[in-house]
Amino acid sequence: MNSELHVLIIGAGLGGLTLAQGLRKQGISFQIFERDASAEARGQGYAVGLHDPEKLFGGSLPDEVFSSVRSSCHLLPLQLPSCLAMFFPDGRAGYVTDSPETPCLRAHRLRLRQALARDLDIQWGKRAQRIEEGEDKVTVWFEDGTHAEGTILVGADGTFSAVRPHVLQKPNSEVLEVSTSSTLTMGECRLDRANMESQLQLAYSCYVAYGPDFILFSGLNRVSDDGSYGDYYWMMVESREVGDDHWVKTGTAEERLRKSKERIQALNPKFRVTVEKTEVEGLKKVVAWYDALIEDIPPVNRVILIGDAAHPMTPARGEGANHAIKDAVGLSKLLAENKDQPIDILRQKLDELQRSLVSEGNQAILLARQVMAKARQRERVEKPMVWGHEVKIVDEAVPLPLELK
């Protein structure tokens, strides 16, 4: 281990874990802290699409960790490639499928996080409360009364980052914006083998379908170990702005589910399955999406932000996790290349990287906003992109082949 450089990582999500593994491979000293009490303290979210994993991780992970990442596909034990479909209002369909030409991996988020956490000593229940940057160190104090000291600190703690307010010197409430394009209803259901197969023939991983005044996203989260059922989730996004008194925001779970099942009748029956199979217990709380364009970030001293802490973005284009991982890979490589440099030079390198990460993230945020605006206005998108690849458009959808054991 390098005896001089010691990195404090706040947040054990996908970005923080990727950074920790990159530092571990490079022999750089680090500690990683997570505010949750344990890995099972809260839901891990849904499956995540990774753009070309080989390129994304760029050789930054230990070999055994990257092998585990490749095994986190949400379709296992089914031997099917990750695949997203889009069903447009004009009857066309579009697909992106994992292949040598368009490599991608839709990973089960918990499996992916477990893979990236391999052999790491994560300190759980550590909610950052205060950060102080000095001449020779940075110190973070946690709510439990403990503290840690390091050379630099990395805020990898997501949209509602506890580190960001220290960097920007303003609370998250003054930074984050509620996306006006993201009023939605959301639910989960479990489909038996027959119903799962009907959905797999539409898209192995997930699909988007357009209703008259809403957009439906339906996705497979995971398949049971014996392949007998699949856990699905869906989001119905409003195609227009709604007031605070709209049923999406004010209705009970029963009312929102009933309304969703009524509205889904406007779609072809094959697209209705996940909503129609949802019970009231499977309806999730009303969700709002947040993003933020951080334009004026102060020069880096000893604290740098990555992932949604640096550029919080909505799931509209499914790019948040990819940017977090890309940020972490870039930071781990920079630290490896400059670990013996004086702190002034390291600060300069970190500041250049920070501004690059924020700029690239802001571009992705603007694209996500544009995508949602076009979708709401039902504008035709000539060359849509998914998972880092251009969607292959066909004039008419056809059932995908299934060869399941």
Side-chain angles (χ1 to χ4, degrees):
M1 289 288 184
N2 186 291
S3 61
E4 299 295 328
L5 182 61
H6 182 64
V7 182
L8 306 178
I9 305 171
I10 308 299
L14 301 183
L17 294 173
T18 299
L19 175 60
Q21 291 290 1
L23 298 179
R24 182 168 78 93
K25 183 174 181 178
Q26 297 292 341
I28 296 175
S29 175
F30 68 90
Q31 290 173 279
I32 182 167
F33 306 92
E34 169 56 47
R35 64 189 171 198
D36 288 343
S38 68
E40 297 78 29
R42 61 186 171 98
Q44 297 299 305
Y46 300 110
V48 55
L50 302 181
H51 310 174
D52 191 350
E54 292 274 358
K55 182 179 179 181
L56 180 63
F57 288 100
S60 67
L61 303 180
D63 292 344
E64 69 278 7
V65 174
F66 186 70
S67 178
S68 296
V69 167
R70 296 292 311 181
S71 299
S72 65
C73 180
H74 74 138
L75 285 157
L76 293 174
L78 305 182
Q79 299 301 309
L80 295 172
S82 300
C83 171
L84 177 143
M86 304 178 75
F87 300 100
F88 300 104
D90 59 7
R92 298 176 305 149
Y95 300 90
V96 169
T97 304
D98 180 31
S99 70
E101 293 75 30
T102 55
C104 52
L105 171 70
R106 189 152 176 88
H108 182 252
R109 193 177 290 263
L110 178 58
R111 290 180 198 156
L112 178 59
R113 192 174 182 187
Q114 289 171 338
L116 290 172
R118 181 171 177 169
D119 297 327
L120 294 181
D121 179 19
I122 301 169
Q123 298 189 44
W124 300 97
K126 296 293 186 178
R127 185 178 292 272
Q129 187 176 49
R130 180 165 62 93
I131 299 168
E132 183 176 306
E133 298 178 70
E135 285 298 318
D136 58 351
K137 64 183 178 181
V138 59
T139 306
V140 56
W141 282 267
F142 299 101
E143 286 187 356
D144 63 4
T146 62
H147 72 279
E149 299 176 348
T151 312
I152 66 166
L153 182 146
V154 182
D157 50 343
T159 298
F160 300 97
S161 170
V163 180
R164 188 195 299 122
H166 167 81
V167 173
L168 300 183
Q169 290 298 292
K170 63 177 68 174
N172 285 326
S173 60
E174 296 182 13
V175 177
L176 297 174
E177 302 177 42
V178 178
S179 172
T180 59
S181 303
S182 63
T183 305
L184 54 90
T185 309
M186 185 173 182
E188 300 175 348
C189 68
R190 176 165 290 179
L191 298 184
D192 60 24
R193 178 71 177 229
N195 280 301
M196 178 175 68
E197 290 186 4
S198 75
Q199 294 300 286
L200 290 173
Q201 287 190 298
L202 296 174
Y204 299 141
S205 295
C206 51
Y207 62 82
V208 176
Y210 291 80
D213 57 356
F214 64 87
I215 304 160
L216 176 69
F217 173 91
S218 184
L220 171 66
N221 189 38
R222 63 176 290 270
V223 179
S224 64
D225 291 342
D226 62 0
S228 63
Y229 65 82
D231 288 332
Y232 277 78
Y233 65 104
W234 55 269
M235 291 181 283
M236 189 179 291
V237 184
E238 298 302 304
S239 296
R240 54 187 170 81
E241 292 187 22
V242 299
D244 291 337
D245 59 347
H246 192 274
W247 62 266
V248 169
K249 297 184 178 181
T250 63
T252 64
E254 290 82 0
E255 291 170 338
R256 289 184 286 119
L257 182 59
R258 176 176 57 80
K259 283 281 192 180
S260 297
K261 290 186 176 182
E262 289 173 358
R263 297 178 79 201
I264 207 71
Q265 299 306 309
L267 293 180
N268 186 299
K270 62 188 178 183
F271 300 131
R272 304 176 195 166
V273 175
T274 52
V275 178
E276 290 183 334
K277 293 294 182 180
T278 299
E279 303 291 339
V280 69
E281 295 80 10
L283 200 70
K284 312 303 289 184
K285 292 190 296 184
V286 175
V287 177
W289 288 346
Y290 294 83
D291 66 13
L293 295 172
I294 299 175
E295 304 283 359
D296 187 19
I297 193 162
V300 171
N301 183 17
R302 290 183 179 272
V303 179
I304 184 171
L305 304 173
I306 66 172
D308 279 342
H311 39 66
M313 62 185 70
T314 71
R317 297 180 74 232
E319 294 206 328
N322 288 273
H323 276 273
I325 292 169
K326 182 181 176 182
D327 292 355
V329 170
L331 179 54
S332 67
K333 290 182 177 179
L334 182 147
L335 292 174
E337 293 168 357
N338 296 276
K339 61 184 178 181
D340 297 319
Q341 294 283 7
I343 187 61
D344 288 346
I345 294 178
L346 182 57
R347 281 195 188 108
Q348 179 184 346
K349 298 285 188 182
L350 291 173
D351 187 64
E352 292 171 356
L353 178 64
Q354 181 72 96
R355 295 180 190 286
S356 174
L357 301 184
V358 170
S359 176
E360 291 182 13
N362 284 349
Q363 292 177 32
I365 292 166
L366 290 173
L367 284 172
R369 291 179 179 181
Q370 292 171 12
V371 164
M372 288 305 298
K374 286 181 177 292
R376 292 178 68 178
Q377 296 166 16
R378 302 175 71 82
E379 290 185 17
R380 179 168 176 150
V381 179
E382 294 299 330
K383 294 183 178 181
M385 299 288 293
V386 171
W387 298 341
H389 304 291
E390 186 175 324
V391 176
K392 180 181 179 181
I393 305 295
V394 297
D395 291 334
E396 185 178 356
V398 295
L400 298 182
L402 286 182
E403 296 181 4
L404 307 180
K405 296 180 180 180

